[in-house]
Amino acid sequence: MMLFRNHPILSLLASAVMSHQSLACSECPCDAMSIDCIPVDAPPTLDGNTDEWSIFNTTLANYPLTSAMGASRYPHGDGSASIQCVYDTDKVYFLFKVPGPYRFNNTDNHQCAAVSSMFKMGANAQLYNMGGCPLALNDCPAEEGACDDYKVDIGGHWELKTTEQGVYYTTNGGTGDDVVANKDDEYSVSPYCRMDDDDGLAANEWEGAWVYVDEATDDDIGSYTFEMARALKTDSDETDAQLEAGTEIDFGFAYWDPYEDDSTGWSDAGHYVTGCSSDWIRLRLLDEHGDTEDEEQISADQASTTGETSADGSNAAAESHGSGSSIIASVSFATFVMAAVL
C-alpha cells in the first residue's frame, strides 16, 4: 500500500479500481451469475405472449440491474431483470422482463424503453465499457484489428419508436442495421467504437416482439416483456458470437429506462446492466443431459489433478485459481484506467 500512496498515478489507479468494485458489491447481490438455456423441440412463438414459456423446464430467474457507470441499483420494481432462455436446432430464444412505468414516444427513442444483449468474443473483452479496449478511449483504433481481443457482440440492440406492441419483427440481410424496427445487430470494443455488423457476410439475425403488461401490484407498475431470438450459428464469425449446444459463453443484458430523466428520457451512458456492472453472466447452453463441455472438462481436470492440501484441508491449486481470476479481472480494469489516466 505504501507504493500506491507514494505514486500519484498508481494511487489514482488503485482508488478507481477499488471504488468500481466496492460500488458493485455494495449495491448488488452478485450470486445470480449464470443462465441455464435448455433445448426444446417446440420453441416459443415471438408475439409478446409468454404463456408458452411456462411449459419449459427452466426458470424465469431474476438478475439485478445496476447502473453501467455508477453501479446504483435500478429504481423500479425489485431492481432486477427476469431472464429465461431456450434453444432448438437453429436458434436461441430469450425472454426478458423488466419492471417499470410505461412510456412511449413514436418520435423519440429516448422516451421509449430499449434493450440489448452482449456476448463476449475477444479473450480480453470486458462487460464494463463494452469491451474496454485501451486503444479505443475516444474513437476506434487507427490500426484495423488492433482491438479484436476486446470485441463484444452487441445483439438485438432494440430501440422502439418505430414499432408496435405484439408485432413480430424479422431478420434482415446484408447489414446489422434494421431500418424497420431498429433492433440492430452490432459489435463494439468500447463505448466510442460501436458499429452495425458490416463485414462481407454481415446480416441481422435477430427477430422478436415486445409488449408492456400492466400488473396488479401495490405500486401499480407493470413490466416490459421482450421475446427475442437469433441464429445459433451465423455466416459471419467476425461480428457474431457463434453458439453451440453443450457450451458456455459470457453474456450480459442492458436496459435503458425511459424515465431516467422525466423530460428527456434515457441517455446513452445511463443504461443498467447485469453482472453488478462489471462481470459477465455465464450463459450455459445445456445439452440433452443437462451438461456443458466446460463442466465436463472441469470435472475431468479435477479428477486428474492432485493439488497440495493445506493444513485446513483446502486445495491450494483451487484457491490459487480463484485468486488469480480476481487479480486478472482487476488488472484488466486497471489497464483500462491507466490508459485513460495517461
Side-chain angles (χ1 to χ4, degrees):
M1 296 301 292
M2 288 293 292
L3 175 62
F4 292 139
R5 283 199 296 265
N6 293 334
H7 196 301
I9 294 179
L10 290 179
S11 178
L12 176 61
L13 171 59
S15 174
V17 172
M18 290 186 287
S19 173
H20 180 74
Q21 291 179 336
S22 62
L23 276 172
C25 292
S26 65
E27 298 289 343
C28 174
C30 300
D31 53 352
M33 300 304 287
S34 66
I35 299 171
D36 286 348
C37 194
I38 65 168
V40 295
D41 294 325
T45 302
L46 303 179
D47 57 7
N49 186 332
T50 63
D51 291 346
E52 298 162 284
W53 289 85
S54 64
I55 67 173
F56 300 134
N57 188 27
T58 182
T59 304
L60 183 64
N62 292 335
Y63 298 85
L65 291 174
T66 50
S67 170
M69 301 306 294
S72 59
R73 195 69 181 266
Y74 176 64
H76 304 301
D78 67 354
S80 300
S82 301
I83 303 176
Q84 193 170 357
C85 180
V86 298
Y87 71 93
D88 61 12
T89 56
D90 299 316
K91 300 175 183 178
V92 61
Y93 299 80
F94 292 100
L95 172 60
F96 303 119
K97 294 185 70 175
V98 182
Y102 179 72
R103 189 178 197 179
F104 187 86
N105 185 334
N106 63 9
T107 65
D108 189 348
N109 275 317
H110 296 83
Q111 295 180 25
C112 307
V115 297
S116 181
S117 67
M118 295 169 281
F119 298 88
K120 179 180 178 180
M121 295 184 69
N124 298 326
Q126 303 169 33
L127 177 79
Y128 184 72
N129 272 326
M130 299 167 62
C133 181
L135 301 178
L137 296 177
N138 300 299
D139 201 350
C140 291
E143 181 181 349
E144 184 177 354
C147 284
D148 281 357
D149 285 344
Y150 296 85
K151 189 178 292 184
V152 174
D153 178 4
I154 307 288
H157 182 191
W158 202 354
E159 300 175 357
L160 300 179
K161 76 174 186 180
T162 63
T163 65
E164 298 179 12
Q165 294 190 50
V167 175
Y168 166 75
Y169 294 94
T170 188
T171 61
N172 59 266
T175 175
D177 184 26
D178 179 353
V179 297
V180 175
N182 202 24
K183 48 167 181 48
D184 295 341
D185 198 350
E186 305 166 344
Y187 65 98
S188 72
V189 296
S190 83
Y192 306 99
C193 186
R194 175 173 60 88
M195 292 157 288
D196 295 326
D197 289 3
D198 56 4
D199 65 286
L201 298 174
N204 186 329
E205 291 85 7
W206 284 89
E207 54 194 309
W210 72 276
V211 296
Y212 183 84
V213 180
D214 286 311
E215 298 173 357
T217 59
D218 292 339
D219 56 11
D220 198 30
I221 290 180
S223 62
Y224 288 90
T225 296
F226 296 84
E227 283 188 294
M228 303 180 71
R230 59 147 278 186
L232 291 169
K233 299 285 188 181
T234 73
D235 290 336
S236 173
D237 58 7
E238 290 292 320
T239 55
D240 290 324
Q242 302 301 304
L243 310 179
E244 186 175 354
T247 63
E248 302 182 10
I249 189 169
D250 285 334
F251 176 84
F253 171 76
Y255 179 76
W256 284 259
D257 178 11
Y259 278 104
E260 177 193 340
D261 183 279
D262 288 342
S263 298
T264 59
W266 53 258
S267 63
D268 287 344
H271 57 291
Y272 295 85
V273 294
T274 52
C276 302
S277 304
S278 59
D279 296 321
W280 294 103
I281 291 176
R282 202 70 174 154
L283 179 64
R284 307 165 66 240
L285 281 77
L286 304 181
D287 62 20
E288 64 273 18
H289 305 295
D291 298 320
T292 65
E293 291 178 2
D294 289 20
E295 291 174 324
E296 294 167 0
Q297 184 61 48
I298 289 171
S299 297
D301 290 345
Q302 289 174 341
S304 61
T305 301
T306 57
E308 293 185 5
T309 303
S310 62
D312 63 0
S314 61
N315 183 278
E319 291 179 359
S320 174
H321 175 75
S323 299
S325 298
S326 299
I327 292 170
I328 289 170
S330 296
V331 169
S332 295
F333 180 66
T335 301
F336 189 87
V337 176
M338 175 68 85
V341 171
L342 295 177

